[in-house]
Amino acid sequence: MEVISIERSTYEELLTSFNSFVTQMRAMADRGTDKRLGDWLDNQDVCQMLNISPRTLQTLRDNGTLAYSQINRKVYYKPEDVESILHVVASRDKDIKMCNLKTECL
């Protein structure tokens, strides 16, 4: 075993820096616990809410209509973001139904 000798002032500076680091890490950990994943929706939830296919959901993500967050390969959505595009999906469905009723669609 090797013994290293340092001055008291150097040790106290090191200890102060370490305590400051620990305090910052605890603060970051506390902020992390405020974010609950339980409030977020996954792909299946959103597809059921909007009555759309997974491919349509992918298109909504790709064109920027629906905001999302991704952790590894899993995609999550805020409920308020999904609710904000309900009218977009509803109007799209109306346009498709109207187009199917007409013999000619533009």
Side-chain angles (χ1 to χ4, degrees):
M1 178 168 65
E2 184 178 348
V3 177
I4 299 174
S5 177
I6 60 174
E7 293 180 16
R8 177 180 291 277
S9 61
T10 304
Y11 173 75
E12 288 173 356
E13 285 179 37
L14 181 64
L15 190 59
T16 302
S17 295
F18 181 75
N19 287 335
S20 173
F21 174 75
V22 168
T23 302
Q24 289 175 358
M25 293 305 293
R26 285 187 179 144
M28 288 174 62
D30 289 342
R31 281 184 293 193
T33 58
D34 291 342
K35 297 177 179 154
R36 296 174 307 276
L37 194 54
D39 294 343
W40 291 63
L41 304 169
D42 65 3
N43 285 334
Q44 183 177 0
D45 296 331
V46 176
C47 285
Q48 288 176 350
M49 281 180 68
L50 300 177
N51 196 24
I52 59 175
S53 70
R55 180 63 195 133
T56 302
L57 182 58
Q58 175 70 49
T59 301
L60 293 173
R61 284 196 312 263
D62 289 346
N63 65 19
T65 303
L66 181 59
Y68 65 96
S69 294
Q70 188 169 359
I71 301 173
N72 293 328
R73 293 180 179 225
K74 186 87 170 162
V75 180
Y76 296 98
Y77 309 87
K78 289 183 182 178
E80 56 269 16
D81 291 339
V82 175
E83 290 171 9
S84 70
I85 67 156
L86 280 173
H87 70 281
V88 172
V89 174
S91 66
R92 182 188 58 87
D93 288 345
K94 283 182 188 175
D95 291 343
I96 291 171
K97 287 177 184 175
M98 292 300 290
C99 185
N100 288 337
L101 292 175
K102 296 179 181 178
T103 57
E104 189 176 306
C105 296
L106 300 175

